[in-house]
Amino acid sequence: MSNPRKWPIWSLAVAAFLLVLAGCGSNSEITRSYVDPTASSRTGLSGVLIVGVAGKQESRIEFEDAFAKSLARYNVKTVPSHTLVENMDPKGDELIAAAKKAGLDMILITRYIGERAEEIYHPGTVYYGVMPAYGGAYNRGRYGGYYGHAYEVAYEQPVWSTNRTYTIISDLFLTNTEEHMWQAVSDTIKAGGEKKLLNDIIKSFVDDLKKQNLLD
């Protein structure tokens, strides 16, 4: 017979595991996506200048490097714009000239639109364990002799939390003609640190590029 004293630990472990599973969903959603209807007749991404519009140079560098690394996994030649244009607020002509000089046929520009906060109430939760007891009827093979005593294992206090959602837009242009090839808007809930937020945003855009057949 199992030792009932060990059951509360097991129950807490299961509860923790379920919480981990609940947090495995995507934190990003593409709310709008557009692709040039003639894009299917063109080749997908080959050489791309990655441009991140940010208020701080270090943020720009971190974003551009991460996005470039993510696309490079698909054998796309990528160059972060900060390696070619140090100016924090480069003009369109500067970006086009840099892309042409580096032999890049596309320019990918990503910028922040805004954010919103939503207050979420999480009611308290009680986790119960069950301690079996055995009576004479159980020994005679009857169900009536088996019953359980429920006891409280853990209690989570009700809390309020704030979901902060960031809206980011990304646009893809052809270098030579400046045609607008693709655009996507991502809403991303911050669920972790800044690095996770960054990765979630980039992943949502990469997934949409794949969905639109611009990325193999």
Side-chain angles (χ1 to χ4, degrees):
M1 182 187 302
S2 300
N3 184 354
R5 294 181 180 178
K6 294 183 179 180
W7 286 25
I9 298 176
W10 175 85
S11 301
L12 286 173
V14 171
F17 178 67
L18 292 175
L19 288 174
V20 170
L21 287 181
C24 289
S26 174
N27 298 312
S28 292
E29 178 186 7
I30 296 295
T31 57
R32 295 194 300 277
S33 180
Y34 160 85
V35 65
D36 185 336
T38 65
S40 59
S41 64
R42 302 172 181 171
T43 58
L45 274 65
S46 52
V48 184
L49 180 67
I50 306 295
V51 183
V53 180
K56 296 180 179 180
Q57 182 73 343
E58 54 267 31
S59 299
R60 172 194 178 190
I61 292 172
E62 182 180 13
F63 182 84
E64 290 182 352
D65 287 350
F67 211 150
K69 183 178 180 181
S70 182
L71 289 178
R73 297 191 183 103
Y74 296 88
N75 297 320
V76 177
K77 178 184 177 182
T78 57
V79 178
S81 72
H82 68 85
T83 63
L84 302 178
V85 182
E86 295 184 2
N87 180 11
M88 271 290 294
D89 187 22
K91 306 301 179 185
D93 291 343
E94 293 180 83
L95 294 174
I96 292 173
K100 288 182 177 179
K101 186 176 181 179
L104 306 172
D105 55 1
M106 298 180 188
I107 301 173
L108 181 63
I109 302 176
T110 307
R111 62 191 185 280
Y112 165 87
I113 296 179
E115 63 187 79
R116 65 181 184 275
E118 180 183 7
E119 297 295 326
I120 306 295
Y121 176 72
H122 305 273
T125 303
V126 179
Y127 297 100
Y128 290 98
V130 177
M131 182 179 295
Y134 302 92
Y138 175 83
N139 295 329
R140 294 193 297 273
R142 297 176 58 190
Y143 177 78
Y146 177 79
Y147 56 93
H149 293 294
Y151 57 92
E152 185 175 320
V153 176
Y155 175 66
E156 290 184 358
Q157 295 284 347
V159 295
W160 284 90
S161 66
T162 301
N163 276 356
R164 191 167 296 278
T165 302
Y166 295 84
T167 301
I168 311 294
I169 187 169
S170 193
D171 294 274
L172 184 67
F173 300 91
L174 293 177
T175 302
N176 289 329
T177 63
E178 301 182 34
E179 292 176 81
H180 195 186
M181 194 169 183
W182 168 84
Q183 181 186 80
V185 178
S186 172
D187 276 356
T188 303
I189 297 175
K190 186 177 181 181
E194 298 296 329
K195 186 173 182 180
K196 176 170 174 51
L197 174 66
L198 180 71
N199 290 336
D200 287 343
I201 292 169
I202 291 173
K203 184 179 185 303
S204 69
F205 287 135
V206 171
D207 287 347
D208 194 68
L209 286 167
K210 292 167 63 178
K211 181 180 178 180
Q212 301 292 358
N213 297 319
L214 294 172
L215 196 62
D216 295 329

